[in-house]
Amino acid sequence: MYGFDYHRPGSVADATSALGGADDGKYLAGGQTLLATMKQRLAAPSDLVDLGGIADLKGISVSGGTVTIGATTTHAEVAASADVQGAIPSLAALAGDIGDRQVRNAGTIGGSLANNDPAADYPAAILALGATVTTNKREIAADDFIKGLFETALEEDEIITSVSFPAPTSGAYMKFKQPASRFALVGVYVAKTADGVRVAVTGATSHAHRGPRLEAALNENFSASAVDGVEIPVDHMNVDIHAGAEYRANLVKVMAKRAVEACG
Amino acid sequence: MPTVSMTVNGKAVSADVEARTLLVHYIRDHIGLTGTHVGCDTSQCGACVVHVNGKSVKSCSTLAVQAEGADVATIEGLANGEELHPMQAAFKENHGLQCGFCTPGMVMSAVDLANNMKNLDEATIREQLDGNICRCTGYHNIVKSIKDGAERMGG
Ligand SMILES: Cc1cc2nc3c(=O)[nH]c(=O)nc-3n(C[C@H](O)[C@H](O)[C@H](O)COP(=O)(O)OP(=O)(O)OC[C@H]3O[C@@H](n4cnc5c(N)ncnc54)[C@H](O)[C@@H]3O)c2cc1C
Ligand code: FES
Ligand code: FES
């Protein structure tokens, strides 16, 4: 890892000005992705601006059926939160199944979303639940936030401050883990919401996306058997040593069925 | 160079280190506590697990500066003089180690588990131990040790 200057601001305003004053600075949250990237010298920021000392970015609140999670809240805190377990149990379960215990104690929801790994879990959650990502500048609907491979709507110095999830009537996330990394080989989140059924798929393609074919079928008939008749296109599926395109496309259906069954 | 201060095993410590210094190197090279191991340096193996403010983390994937002011516990802080911590005693008596390289991380993860989850069964222990790898593959006795150790700790 190359050297850098370290900053630990106490407020969002101080964080943006620290980044603004840097040559090529980056925000640091749990470090569970960024530090590994820096060790491999795939990133070499001149400055790290640690968001860990900003009290406003931490914590979970529920109001009027919406769960709001501060950006630096760890996966372990989301999983253990009685508020999240009560309002959106499928979201608490998703957080409790990210990586391993030590990763969950350090990694944050803001870091995971800003990074937008193609196999990460939270991107599927924000899409399926129709969440809103709040930054220091604006509110971004989940559908506009996820842009591409490791690409989001965030501007260079924009900080995610919190994420708000409207509680669905019911929901379930099923992930087929890549057993070594525990990231999703394929993960499917199904939610019954006020706007009908929403389905999000992660791990399958270059970035998490909604599943319009699955949504149409499930809006007509919310049952696992409805998934059988859906054709999942194989063209854009990720292909790697762990799984080919057809296998991944089939996993989308299998995970979708399991999620529908778990929704009840 | 930033001066990084924290409490390690109940003792106030301080060292001038580069910002890029990992917590594991701060503990091993600057504080001189070499019980915490580096197995992979890539967040996979868990040999480097320590507690930061009561939570188990991988110290190879944490910067020392991120732990400024924190309360850190390492394997050296568990025993009470000559008397082993109940989890250490359980590892010893259940043959929970072979070469011992992964053991400091295993024990620190196990103590975090026992402190934070009650009535640990075998399936839960195996699942929660996902972040710790034993190259000698002695998982059976490690899981047995953790179940026994958790019971000795009152869980
Ligand atoms: C062994 C291992 C297993 C894992 N398994 C999984 C898994 O199963 N599923 C999964 O989803 N993830 C998994 N992860 C990734 C993990 O969830 C990370 O926590 C996450 O990707 C990054 O979060 P972080 O807080 O550590 O962010 P960091 O690594 O600190 O930062 C990541 C990126 O986000 C930016 N950033 C951070 N916070 C903000 C913010 N508030 N606003 C704007 N930008 C920000 C940083 O500048 C950086 O570019 C795993 C990681 C490891 C090491
Ligand atoms: S050395 Fe830290 S996880 Fe392997
Ligand atoms: S006892 Fe040898 S690595 Fe675990």
Side-chain angles (χ1 to χ4, degrees):
Chain A
M1 194 188 300
Y2 289 112
F4 53 82
D5 287 331
Y6 175 82
H7 311 263
R8 196 176 171 85
S11 71
V12 170
D14 288 350
T16 50
S17 63
L19 200 83
D23 240 7
D24 178 20
K26 259 193 169 309
Y27 296 122
L28 173 71
Q32 297 304 289
T33 296
L34 182 54
L35 295 178
T37 319
M38 289 169 63
K39 284 183 190 178
Q40 292 169 301
R41 298 185 173 177
L42 296 171
S46 62
D47 295 68
L48 281 189
V49 179
D50 189 348
L51 304 177
I54 306 176
D56 290 351
L57 295 181
K58 234 181 172 26
I60 298 171
S61 64
V62 185
S63 121
T66 296
V67 177
T68 300
I69 302 176
T72 58
T73 310
T74 63
H75 310 327
E77 286 161 351
V78 173
S81 157
D83 282 338
V84 183
Q85 287 170 2
I88 318 181
S90 51
L91 184 63
L94 174 146
D97 212 19
I98 293 176
D100 56 53
R101 190 174 176 82
Q102 289 70 37
V103 168
R104 291 192 293 275
N105 277 336
T108 69
I109 186 169
S112 176
L113 289 172
N115 189 54
N116 190 26
D117 189 288
D121 299 305
Y122 271 125
I126 64 166
L127 290 173
L129 297 170
T132 302
V133 178
T134 303
T135 74
N136 57 324
K137 297 183 175 172
R138 57 191 165 140
E139 293 192 343
I140 310 171
D143 290 318
D144 302 325
F145 181 81
I146 306 283
K147 290 283 190 206
L149 180 71
F150 292 109
E151 195 191 331
T152 68
L154 290 175
E155 290 162 18
E156 208 48 41
D157 63 340
E158 199 167 2
I159 297 180
I160 300 175
T161 53
S162 66
V163 188
S164 298
F165 296 91
T169 321
S170 68
Y173 176 64
M174 288 291 152
K175 130 160 120 166
F176 191 92
K177 287 183 201 175
Q178 201 278 78
S181 79
R182 297 168 291 271
F183 273 96
L185 203 55
V186 167
V188 178
Y189 205 134
V190 174
K192 280 186 183 167
T193 75
D195 314 326
V197 178
R198 292 175 68 107
V199 178
V201 180
T202 189
T205 58
S206 61
H207 54 91
H209 61 273
R210 297 270 296 276
R213 291 177 182 78
L214 288 165
E215 288 180 357
L218 290 169
N219 270 317
E220 200 155 296
N221 170 17
F222 193 81
S223 72
S225 61
V227 172
D228 281 327
V230 178
E231 198 185 323
I232 306 292
V234 292
D235 330 348
H236 302 293
M237 290 284 152
N238 295 331
V239 175
D240 56 26
I241 56 164
H242 308 296
E246 285 80 13
Y247 184 76
R248 270 200 169 80
N250 188 55
L251 268 184
V252 172
K253 283 172 95 158
V254 175
M255 292 302 114
K257 282 188 184 181
R258 288 186 191 168
V260 169
E261 274 162 3
C263 276
Chain B
M1 276 203 280
T3 302
V4 178
S5 309
M6 62 188 81
T7 306
V8 177
N9 301 329
K11 230 175 82 194
V13 298
S14 187
D16 293 338
V17 297
E18 283 187 80
R20 62 177 168 170
T21 305
L22 298 171
L23 180 58
V24 68
H25 293 137
Y26 179 90
I27 291 169
R28 287 178 58 87
D29 303 344
H30 296 274
I31 309 305
L33 296 175
T34 54
T36 305
H37 291 165
V38 181
C40 65
D41 190 39
T42 56
S43 276
Q44 311 297 320
C45 76
C48 65
V49 170
V50 301
H51 297 182
V52 175
N53 297 325
K55 293 187 173 127
S56 62
V57 298
K58 291 173 175 172
S59 61
C60 75
S61 299
T62 309
L63 297 172
V65 282
Q66 286 178 286
E68 166 71 38
D71 189 4
V72 174
T74 72
I75 189 73
E76 289 91 345
L78 288 185
N80 181 8
E82 291 296 300
E83 188 194 335
L84 292 180
H85 182 280
M87 191 60 78
Q88 291 174 306
F91 267 73
K92 185 177 173 199
E93 286 162 38
N94 291 282
H95 305 285
L97 58 148
Q98 293 174 60
C99 78
F101 191 84
C102 70
T103 313
M106 288 286 179
V107 171
M108 295 311 285
S109 290
V111 170
D112 169 37
L113 249 187
N115 280 339
N116 290 294
M117 290 177 100
K118 294 294 149 202
N119 302 317
L120 286 169
D121 59 21
E122 187 186 327
T124 309
I125 293 170
R126 286 185 183 272
E127 193 183 305
Q128 296 293 326
L129 215 59
D130 240 1
N132 292 81
I133 293 174
C134 174
R135 188 63 184 83
C136 300
T137 69
Y139 294 104
H140 184 73
N141 284 353
I142 290 171
V143 173
K144 218 165 99 187
S145 304
I146 295 176
K147 195 159 188 320
D148 183 22
E151 279 159 19
R152 294 177 194 219
M153 285 170 67

